[in-house]
Amino acid sequence: MNFHLKVWRQKDANSPGRLEDYEARNIPPDASFLEMLDIVNEDLISKGIEPIVFDHDCREGICGMCSLTINGIPHGPSTGTTCQLYMRKFEDGSTIYIEPFRAGPFPVIRDLSVNRSALDRIIQAGGFISERTGSAPDANSIPIPKTIADEAMDAAACIGCGACAAACPNSSAMLFVAAKVSHLNLLPQGKPEKDRRVLSMVEQMDKEGFGGCSNFYQCEAVCPAHIPASFIAKMNRDYLVASIKRTVGVMP
Amino acid sequence: MTLDSKIPAGPLEKKWTTFKNNAKIISPANKRKFEIIVVGSGLAGASAAATLSELGFRVKCFCYQDSPRRAHSIAAQGGINAAKNYQNDGDSVYRLFYDTIKGGDFRAREANVYRLAEVSASIIDQCVAQGVPFAREYGGLLANRSFGGAQVSRTFYARGQTGQQLLLGAYQALCKQISTGGVQMFPRTEMLDLVVVDGHAKGIVVRDLVSGKISAHAADAVLLCTGGYGNVFYLSTNAKGCNVTATYRAYKRGAFFANPCFTQIHPTCIPVSGDYQSKLTLMSESLRNDGRVWVPKRKEDCSKHPSQIPEEDRDYYLERKYPSYGNLAPRDISSRAAKEVCDEGRGVGPGGLGVYLDFSDAIKRLGRKVIEERYGNLFEMYENITGENAYEVPMRIYPAVHYTMGGLWVDYCLMSNLPGLHVLGEANFSDHGANRLGASALMQGLADGYFIIPYTIGEYLTTQFGKKVDPNHPAFQEAVQSIEKFTNRLLSVNGSRSVDSFHRELGLLMWNNCGMARNRKGLEEAIEKIQKLRDEFWKNVRVLGQGDCMNQSLEKAGRVADFLEFAELMCRDALMREESCGGHFRTEYQTPDGEALRNDEEFSFVACWKFEGVNKDPTLIKEPLNYEFIKPTTRSYK
Ligand SMILES: Cc1cc2nc3c(=O)[nH]c(=O)nc-3n(C[C@H](O)[C@H](O)[C@H](O)COP(=O)(O)OP(=O)(O)OC[C@H]3O[C@@H](n4cnc5c(N)ncnc54)[C@H](O)[C@@H]3O)c2cc1C
Ligand code: FES
């Protein structure tokens, strides 16, 4: 297959970027999107042009390192991550636009690579259970209904790629935050810090410059881990309860 | 020279307790004075960094990804073992110990493996308390599944994403410590050298992958938790960035590399489909719980659609050859059996390099819904990659490089021969001998980080009171300068071949000559070719761009330069080991029916290699393996 590529190139965070034209030739339909870029990069290197920088690692759809906005959509026209997108999904001879994830809190580092450390700082604000190594009771001492465990797992499946924020017209990271808040708040082990967690994570999200949710649901549509937007509603409830508790002064 | 493994005296089941009772404790006020560098944020690194920080040490943690949560541990699918005996099926610490040591073909240390089995139960407690959403039964208790090489059900799992959930647990613990200021995190930072001062590991040299800046960090102890080196084969199930750089450069600074030839080829991966391919995808071994492996009995049937091949014309070769373990035979054995049937010309799919993994019986027995619940995401992944629906046609699988049992040598305290340098997780050699059982790597990574290093690091640190090194010590400057020089050298070759083209060529050579089956001739030939390829690399590699900014070709070039030296060490180790054991199969040493022929008389030792210079033969130092408590037997899964 052959494709005409328009690829965002940007030297560093402070330089302006622009779309460059490249040809991708003789691409096997079974190649992944990133393998297509590998082939293009080999060609660029042979011509003495610096290869396109893009983030990736596991290439299995689980580490969340790959990004890319493909034809305007974070992770492109697949239901998973960019690394799990295969070229057979594209029409032979078509033009493909490749840009970085676009969101204010994700500044471009170089070409297609962006800085997503804002997401780490949100987790640092409270996305954990304060348990010290060695202090845990026997794992079966607190039975957890299967439905609860399954729901927590649905939320915990988030791979932290940031596509939700990149897809959202408000650059909101609500789906990311809601997934972590729900995962931990659903479990009995996470209950003691439930209120504190939701308040500080949401506060940090605001501080990082992510916008609020106005129910566009673009996040859910692009999420490669299929995190349902219903978790956002759940988080809003948790947030409301915690805010009231804080206002009336009964926060644990 | 002899190596002291520092194994405590006394009965096997008392060793760890004895050690802990006598371990050197550091007071809280003094802990604050010690600074520890942790390289790596996978299960081993994140759990160690978090726990050491909780204890009060000052920790700096490094990883090359943009976030510690993306370490390669995230990709583990199947599960984690623990001797909980929640299924009441006769499991025990001893049984987990014995299965692991037998699975490793009696090439691991008894004391280490016993300790691993002993702490395994605490890992599950710890993870559940952190909020890891393990699979549960309707009664609300934890569920288990079986894995290869065991006849009990002791594997805990979180759908097909166990590694992800365990790593997120450890990552969250790490985040908690980062938020208190106890851990300073350095993502997108690659360790490129170890700094040794007066024979002690006292720091590292790193490159900031965003700014390109090369700098040194000093500490009282260094922990390498940098994972495995499977990418020496280019194609493997590892993430693209996995490398040998951290451990190999420590080796070049004097740390011994142990058993480098012990690599694991996983039997259930999606077969290679073309030479553009950049990595191989694992299909979790848990699939073998319900899938049946077969190929056609006759070569002529290989091109037929599987549904056209009647039951009596199928060869369920694992069930036939290993009736008691069947489809759950250990990895090395299953991989070799697949290679054998394909070598006979009975493989299926493109190039005849594949075997079927068939779920039709399980679907008949349990219904599609149960299979979906158990493996839904794996089936989806398979369909996405191959375009085939495995509920309707059997999966095609083939072995692929997956895990490396070899690694830096460590003693019972997880310290290498270089004082101060500790090595955890897949990066060390310690617990899996010549073959690792499924679901044991996650267990080992977390055991090392949560439950072992916090107890053992005191043995070294208590000897270091008042011995802080000055970061202006000439050793730091020397190391920084040598890395700057190395980087400039890569950038200035300006040849005509890309880094990837060298890596691919090396990988193919290693797969053919140092892969599933090895022999003297092939290994000698490989060593010669590797040396030539290395020469060519330094004359003809093309790394464009500069060093003072993000430059992914430069990052890759450094890693491939190390693989090109390390590959030779692997071949030398494989050549020296004139026996077959576990994942190391020398065609010259096999039983008449094609099983591995171990030679305990001559090879019951850990092969530790000491660096003597590039293009110079390394020195072999042997750590004898003395089996005090069990008797090595011929490993049989028949
Ligand atoms: C696809 C797959 C599935 C698996 N499934 C299972 C399973 O079901 N059960 C099981 O028990 N095991 C499984 N394993 C094996 C297991 O996942 C690994 O052995 C284990 O997770 C390794 O953990 P680690 O902490 O040692 O290293 P890793 O998780 O690989 O972490 C290495 C860390 O070191 C950092 N690093 C590496 N080099 C450098 C450097 N030079 N400078 C700075 N940082 C560096 C990385 O950034 C990373 O943070 C699987 C492995 C694979 C590949
Ligand atoms: S590279 Fe890991 S999710 Fe795409």
Side-chain angles (χ1 to χ4, degrees), chain A residues 60, chain B residues 39-44 62-65 71-73 75-79 189-191 225-227 237-238 243 246 282 402-403 425-426 436 439-442:
Chain A
E60 276 185 21
Chain B
V39 189
S41 63
L43 289 185
F62 299 80
C63 71
Y64 71 75
Q65 292 92 347
H72 187 53
S73 296
Q77 302 168 349
T189 307
E190 185 170 27
M191 166 183 164
C225 315
T226 49
T237 63
N238 288 6
N243 63 84
L282 175 84
H402 176 59
Y403 181 86
E426 191 173 341
R436 174 176 71 80
S440 292
L442 301 182

Side-chain angles (χ1 to χ4, degrees), chain A residues 60-105:
Chain A
E60 276 185 21
I62 190 77
C63 75
M65 183 95 178
C66 64
S67 49
L68 307 191
T69 303
I70 302 164
N71 290 339
I73 305 169
H75 293 306
S78 76
T79 54
T81 53
T82 293
C83 63
Q84 289 298 297
L85 174 61
Y86 288 81
M87 294 317 289
R88 60 178 105 86
K89 280 256 180 192
F90 293 87
E91 208 172 303
D92 195 7
S94 58
T95 300
I96 306 175
Y97 284 81
I98 311 173
E99 292 171 85
F101 272 4
R102 302 279 189 199

Side-chain angles (χ1 to χ4, degrees), chain B residues 88 312 348 614:
Chain B
N88 196 26
E312 62 274 16
V348 296
V614 184

Side-chain angles (χ1 to χ4, degrees), chain B residues 348-369:
Chain B
V348 296
L353 292 177
V355 300
Y356 289 126
L357 179 63
D358 196 335
F359 290 86
S360 50
D361 284 350
I363 292 174
K364 258 183 242 149
R365 184 163 41 97
L366 303 163
R368 178 171 163 154
K369 194 155 173 288

Side-chain angles (χ1 to χ4, degrees), chain B residues 352-552:
Chain B
L353 292 177
V355 300
Y356 289 126
L357 179 63
D358 196 335
F359 290 86
S360 50
D361 284 350
I363 292 174
K364 258 183 242 149
R365 184 163 41 97
L366 303 163
R368 178 171 163 154
K369 194 155 173 288
V370 175
I371 297 299
E372 248 176 52
E373 210 165 81
R374 286 187 191 164
Y375 314 108
N377 66 326
L378 296 171
F379 277 55
E380 226 173 84
M381 185 152 119
Y382 181 82
E383 174 157 17
N384 191 26
I385 295 175
T386 61
E388 287 172 20
N389 177 349
Y391 294 104
E392 275 146 31
V393 284
M395 280 184 185
R396 281 176 300 107
I397 53 166
Y398 197 66
V401 174
H402 176 59
Y403 181 86
T404 54
M405 283 75 70
L408 291 181
W409 183 87
V410 288
D411 63 17
Y412 193 70
C413 294
L414 303 181
M415 187 162 88
S416 87
N417 60 300
L418 276 184
L421 179 68
H422 295 73
V423 192
L424 283 65
E426 191 173 341
N428 74 24
F429 89 105
S430 74
D431 295 352
H432 307 292
N435 173 56
R436 174 176 71 80
L437 289 186
S440 292
L442 301 182
M443 168 171 76
Q444 185 221 333
L446 291 180
D448 287 0
Y450 284 132
F451 296 108
I452 298 173
I453 198 72
Y455 285 97
T456 60
I457 196 156
E459 300 300 299
Y460 175 70
L461 289 178
T462 46
T463 66
Q464 296 301 301
F465 283 113
K467 294 194 183 160
K468 264 219 181 316
V469 295
D470 176 0
N472 294 317
H473 189 282
F476 287 88
Q477 278 143 34
E478 182 272 320
V480 169
Q481 278 160 11
S482 86
I483 292 304
E484 283 170 349
K485 219 172 104 196
F486 177 82
T487 308
N488 289 334
R489 202 175 145 212
L490 285 171
L491 287 164
S492 59
V493 178
N494 207 8
S496 63
R497 274 185 74 179
S498 71
V499 177
D500 275 1
S501 79
F502 283 100
H503 197 177
R504 271 178 212 276
E505 186 174 337
L506 175 69
L508 191 63
L509 180 64
M510 292 301 282
W511 177 248
N512 288 335
N513 294 33
C514 196
M516 263 189 288
R518 305 154 171 187
N519 58 51
R520 170 166 292 278
K521 188 166 155 283
L523 290 165
E524 284 172 345
E525 179 191 279
I527 291 172
E528 214 172 283
K529 286 191 175 160
I530 292 166
Q531 290 168 344
K532 285 211 184 97
L533 192 63
R534 194 162 63 221
D535 283 348
E536 196 201 331
F537 177 86
W538 284 107
K539 288 197 190 101
N540 199 20
V541 72
R542 172 178 282 193
V543 184
L544 298 170
Q546 267 81 48
D548 61 357
C549 57
M550 187 179 251
N551 185 337
Q552 294 177 325

Side-chain angles (χ1 to χ4, degrees), chain A residues 42 45 88 110 120 138 183, chain B residues 86 131 171 385 498 542 550:
Chain A
E42 287 293 291
I45 293 171
R88 60 178 105 86
R110 189 168 189 191
D120 285 317
D138 183 85
H183 158 211
Chain B
Y86 282 161
Y171 159 75
I385 295 175
S498 71
R542 172 178 282 193
M550 187 179 251

